[in-house]
Amino acid sequence: MTFNAIAGFRLVTAALEDLAEFYRAIGFAIGELSPIASAELAVLGLEGGGFRRTMRLGESRVDLDLFDRPGDPYPADATACDLIFQHLALVTDDADAAWRRACDAGARPISRGGPVTLPRSAGGATAVKFRDPEGHPLEFLQFPPGINPKWPGTGIMGVDHTALCVANVSASQRFYQVQGLREGGRSLNHGPTQAALDGLKGVEVDVVPLNPPLTPPHLELLGYRRPMGKTSKAPMANDIAATRIVWRADRYALLRDPDGHLHQLTR
């Protein structure tokens, strides 16, 4: 089985139209509302019905899914190192302006003190992590000039990657490499700027990019050496924390990685 390309992402919501307005305010184009097919609900292991509103950010697609039978809300005490954590990194040419816009729309900060610029050893990007009104983690990511030619333009341009916390980097790497992903240049991020970005103390985190054959977007593993993140039960597909990566594939299926993160295969 091969993860050839990420087709998009799906976020679960309990307040679809309110959340769509938040994403509209930060730069997404909001698309149509349609019912979720019963065959897909069966793949997700869910009963009842559901509705989906599509959204676009440049070439990137993110869907909002509302189910008739709601699951659990996003855990209120979750932090950036907990295994349930998974964020979408949104590329911008002005992280400060993007952050101000998100705050006006109701974003809740994860990072301390707004955008921070990481040292060159960690990529040199300017970034800020935050949550949408229902708790989904997001990040604005501003690359240094000339570093990433994949993202020409201005404003908020698209989803560069999704990053997810893992308990064992080596075990997760093996899982994803079997699916066809290949490691990029890993780094060990630490120091005051990383701590401010994560809203934590004493951070040491292995960051391991994994690239499908077609990018962007790609996937990144976050293996926190310090602090140790909390574990939790794997989310059900209708829980707010159950972000799904959607992969182009030759069949319909739902997979979990070793830490319970969800992957939806779709034609």
Side-chain angles (χ1 to χ4, degrees), residues 82-121:
D82 293 342
L83 293 185
I84 202 167
F85 185 89
Q86 178 178 354
H87 77 248
L88 303 183
L90 313 180
V91 180
T92 178
D93 67 330
D94 190 335
D96 288 301
W99 174 232
R100 289 193 298 271
R101 190 173 180 180
C103 288
D104 290 343
R108 294 184 282 123
I110 294 173
S111 300
R112 293 193 298 267
V116 299
T117 299
L118 297 172
R120 188 173 296 276
S121 61

Side-chain angles (χ1 to χ4, degrees), residues 149-172:
K150 295 178 181 178
W151 297 106
T154 59
I156 304 173
M157 292 167 271
V159 180
D160 180 76
H161 66 269
T162 182
L164 42 90
C165 288
V166 299
N168 185 309
V169 170
S170 295
S172 293

Side-chain angles (χ1 to χ4, degrees), residues 23-235:
Y23 282 93
R24 186 196 305 276
I26 66 171
F28 281 75
I30 308 302
E32 296 183 353
L33 182 70
S34 60
I36 300 173
S38 58
E40 181 178 349
L41 291 165
V43 169
L44 298 177
L46 300 177
E47 298 180 351
F51 286 90
R52 171 173 298 146
R53 188 171 289 284
T54 61
M55 304 190 298
R56 290 279 182 183
L57 187 63
E59 298 298 317
S60 303
R61 175 170 171 171
V62 180
D63 296 333
L64 300 181
D65 284 359
L66 174 69
F67 298 109
D68 290 349
R69 299 189 179 187
D72 293 336
Y74 202 99
D77 61 346
T79 72
C81 66
D82 293 342
L83 293 185
I84 202 167
F85 185 89
Q86 178 178 354
H87 77 248
L88 303 183
L90 313 180
V91 180
T92 178
D93 67 330
D94 190 335
D96 288 301
W99 174 232
R100 289 193 298 271
R101 190 173 180 180
C103 288
D104 290 343
R108 294 184 282 123
I110 294 173
S111 300
R112 293 193 298 267
V116 299
T117 299
L118 297 172
R120 188 173 296 276
S121 61
T126 299
V128 59
K129 293 182 181 180
F130 60 99
R131 297 185 186 276
D132 73 16
E134 288 194 71
H136 304 105
L138 301 164
E139 179 183 46
F140 286 134
L141 185 62
Q142 179 183 345
F143 292 105
I147 292 296
N148 200 320
K150 295 178 181 178
W151 297 106
T154 59
I156 304 173
M157 292 167 271
V159 180
D160 180 76
H161 66 269
T162 182
L164 42 90
C165 288
V166 299
N168 185 309
V169 170
S170 295
S172 293
Q173 274 189 285
R174 287 193 295 271
F175 170 84
Y176 286 105
Q177 287 171 346
V178 167
Q179 310 305 327
L181 304 191
R182 294 292 176 263
E183 182 184 329
R186 70 163 62 198
S187 62
L188 175 61
N189 293 7
H190 57 90
T193 51
Q194 186 67 44
L197 177 63
D198 291 337
L200 299 169
K201 294 181 180 179
V203 172
E204 288 187 5
V205 55
D206 290 293
V207 180
V208 183
L210 295 173
N211 298 315
L214 301 176
T215 58
H218 67 278
L219 183 150
E220 293 187 359
L221 306 180
L222 304 176
Y224 280 84
R225 302 183 185 187
R226 293 192 304 159
M228 294 294 293
K230 297 189 297 293
T231 60
S232 58
K233 68 179 181 66

